[in-house]
């Protein structure tokens, strides 16, 4: 077989219904590249933002959507010595970000460069992370480590103040970032709190993933008060701030003295008049507020070691096939709000 099936989005903002299937050549590996046979991908809120046009960073025309690649090495360029045909691998979200901060917004898979919604992809060997052979994690679990997984790991371990056992971690919502944050923080011995608009989703977070406390942010709009009460007024050491300007006031009100707020998402917005005095609140509590840009390959490698050693697979709510209708249904599920991840398996 020298051709493959590839899905492309004609342009940013075209809507996910505009995604079309194409038949294209399987790429060849250049000297320092590998070709990956992709086995699974997972969807992220970013993919919806790109398709609907409110993603704030560059996206190329006719891009192959989705960032999360999990597969096996199909072919190697002549200068690649660190990988072998058949190795189980994932690719880093930003293929140029080996360590340290992300340098620009031009190298993220599934936006400025082609991504995972295809059967094969050629990538620099330097962007590839080898998975331990005996991992209990499935390909959808492995794909989940790429974007939301590394983001959650970065929030917990990417600063100079990594999570310590016994600290308290708060995740906003039950999407991919939050559920991964819950899974990792629970496994690392933290006390965990999660919010959701749904009591049913809170039950899953508590019963299957060990959340110690859950608050419904719809029926308890002042959810920070409930968090402060639960922590006996001490507040939370690390917050996964997925809401953005619409939730930052409450996050500042329930972060602990010296705690950290990881600014991750933009799921809700507040007008300028409703924004709190962030500088004053941060000064008052001696806390820190840090923007997260997914994370480097080095962070992803640390995450892979922990997740594979401990068999930590984030909740995959549903897995779809590699037909156009299935792809559109996967986007529809993402839009409705799944618990954890939505996956697509690629034959
Ligand atoms: N900075 C980065 O590097 C980075 C990386 C990955 C993701 N992100 C961003 O992080 C956010 C989450 O991404 P994701 O992929 O995890 O999304 P997702 O899987 O689509 O999860 C969305 C969930 O967030 C919850 N939510 C929606 N509005 C909320 C609000 N006002 N307060 C609290 N929770 C709310 C909902 O959970 P319930 O249904 O339980 O209410 C919803 O199901 C997005 O904004 C995304 O763009 C940023």
């Amino acid at each position: 077989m020298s051709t493959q099936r590839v899905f492309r989005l004609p342009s940013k903002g075209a809507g996910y219904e505009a995604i079309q299937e194409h038949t294209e050549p399987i790429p060849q590996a250049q000297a320092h590249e590998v070709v990956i046979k992709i086995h699974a991908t997972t969807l992220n809120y970013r993919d919806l933002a790109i398709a609907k046009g409110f993603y704030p960073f560059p996206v190329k025309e006719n891009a192959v959507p989705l960032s999360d690649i999990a597969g096996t090495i199909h072919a190697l360029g002549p200068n690649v010595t660190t990988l072998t045909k058949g190795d189980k691998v994932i690719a880093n979200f930003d293929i140029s970000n080996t360590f340290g901060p992300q340098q620009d917004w031009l190298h993220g898979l599934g936006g400025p460069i082609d991504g995972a919604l295809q059967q094969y992809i050629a990538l620099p060997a330097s962007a590839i992370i080898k998975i331990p052979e005996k991992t209990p994690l499935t390909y959808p679990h492995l794909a989940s480590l790429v974007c939301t997984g590394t983001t959650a790991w970065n929030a917990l371990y990417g600063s100079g103040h990594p999570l310590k056992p016994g600290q308290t971690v708060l995740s906003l919502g039950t999407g991919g970032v939050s559920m991964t944050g819950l899974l990792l923080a629970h496994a690392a011995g933290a006390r965990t709190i999660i919010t959701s608009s749904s009591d049913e989703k809170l039950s899953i977070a508590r019963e299957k993933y060990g959340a110690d406390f859950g608050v419904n942010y719809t029926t308890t709009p002042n959810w920070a008060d409930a968090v402060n009460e639960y922590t006996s007024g001490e507040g939370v050491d690390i917050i996964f701030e997925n809401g953005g300007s619409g939730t930052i006031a409450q996050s500042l009100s329930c972060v602990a003295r010296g705690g950290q707020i990881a600014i991750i998402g933009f799921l809700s917005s507040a007008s300028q008049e409703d924004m709190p005095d962030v500088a004053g609140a941060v000064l008052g509590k001696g806390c820190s507020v840090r923007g997260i840009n997914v994370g480097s390959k080095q962070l992803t490698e640390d995450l892979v070691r922990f997740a594979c050693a401990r068999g930590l697979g984030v909740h995959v709510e549903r897995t779809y096939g590699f037909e156009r209708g299935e792809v559109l249904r996967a986007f529809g599920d993402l839009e409705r709000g799944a618990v954890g991840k939505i996956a697509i398996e690629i034959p």
Side-chain angles (χ1 to χ4, degrees):
M1 185 181 69
S2 56
T3 58
Q4 62 158 333
R5 278 193 290 144
V6 176
F7 290 92
R8 292 188 182 273
L9 176 74
S11 60
K12 177 173 163 180
Y16 60 79
E17 303 82 357
I19 290 174
Q20 293 299 338
E21 183 177 330
H22 304 263
T23 302
E24 299 183 8
I26 294 174
Q28 304 280 315
Q30 300 303 307
H32 295 276
E33 287 184 343
V34 296
V35 175
I36 299 173
K37 167 66 194 74
I38 304 174
H39 295 306
T41 182
T42 41
L43 282 75
N44 297 292
Y45 189 79
R46 167 184 182 257
D47 306 315
L48 196 61
I50 288 174
K52 299 188 98 162
F54 57 89
Y55 184 65
F57 304 111
V59 175
K60 75 168 193 155
E61 292 291 291
N62 227 17
V64 177
L66 311 191
S67 57
D68 300 353
I69 290 172
T72 46
I73 298 290
H74 170 73
L76 302 112
N79 292 353
V80 179
T81 54
T82 50
L83 294 159
T84 311
K85 199 171 170 185
D87 281 350
K88 198 177 271 196
V89 293
I90 60 174
N92 202 49
F93 175 85
D94 178 321
I95 62 167
S96 70
N97 186 200
T98 309
F99 66 95
Q102 180 180 290
Q103 296 303 312
D104 57 38
W105 287 98
L106 302 175
H107 298 89
L109 290 162
I113 60 174
D114 285 339
L117 217 44
Q118 52 187 330
Q119 293 174 292
Y120 296 85
I121 189 169
L123 290 171
S126 57
I128 306 307
I129 296 137
K130 189 172 163 181
I131 302 296
E133 216 167 286
K134 290 201 173 134
T135 179
L137 301 189
T138 63
Y139 284 110
H141 286 145
L142 294 172
S144 304
L145 300 177
V146 174
C147 178
T148 50
T150 303
T151 299
W153 183 266
N154 190 350
L156 296 175
Y157 297 106
S159 77
H161 304 283
L163 174 69
K164 294 177 192 160
Q167 287 191 321
T168 305
V169 175
L170 166 64
S171 300
L172 301 192
T174 57
V177 171
S178 278
M179 290 299 287
T180 311
L182 167 63
L183 183 77
L184 296 173
H186 179 70
R191 182 166 64 159
T192 53
I193 303 174
I194 195 156
T195 72
S196 178
S197 56
S198 148
D199 288 340
E200 200 185 327
K201 291 179 177 182
L202 286 175
S203 299
I204 296 174
R206 272 196 304 260
E207 285 155 27
K208 287 182 80 172
Y209 294 89
D212 295 301
F213 182 60
V215 194
N216 186 320
Y217 62 82
T218 307
T219 53
T220 309
N222 293 327
W223 47 266
D225 291 347
V227 171
N228 279 326
E229 196 179 318
Y230 177 71
T231 58
S232 307
E234 286 185 4
V236 172
D237 298 292
I238 298 180
I239 299 180
F240 287 85
E241 179 37 278
N242 296 319
S245 61
T247 46
I248 187 74
Q250 296 216 48
S251 288
L252 284 164
S253 115
C254 67
V255 68
R257 292 186 163 273
Q260 303 175 63
I261 301 177
I263 302 289
I264 297 171
F266 46 89
L267 292 166
S268 66
S269 59
S271 64
Q272 201 57 41
E273 306 83 71
D274 291 333
M275 278 295 284
D277 172 3
V278 175
V282 168
L283 181 64
K285 285 202 167 171
C287 64
S288 51
V289 176
R290 182 169 69 99
I292 303 282
N293 298 152
V294 189
S296 66
K297 182 185 176 195
Q298 190 177 22
L299 288 169
T300 308
E301 282 173 337
D302 291 344
L303 166 63
V304 164
R305 188 184 310 112
F306 185 47
C308 290
R310 289 285 168 226
L312 300 173
V314 72
H315 186 79
V316 177
E317 187 174 281
R318 195 149 175 201
T319 301
Y320 286 91
F322 197 57
E323 310 295 332
R324 183 169 175 276
E326 291 275 288
V327 168
L328 301 194
R329 279 191 279 282
F331 270 87
D333 264 7
L334 180 72
E335 193 167 17
R336 277 188 291 279
V339 178
K341 304 301 293 182
I342 298 291
I344 294 175
E345 282 182 332
I346 304 180

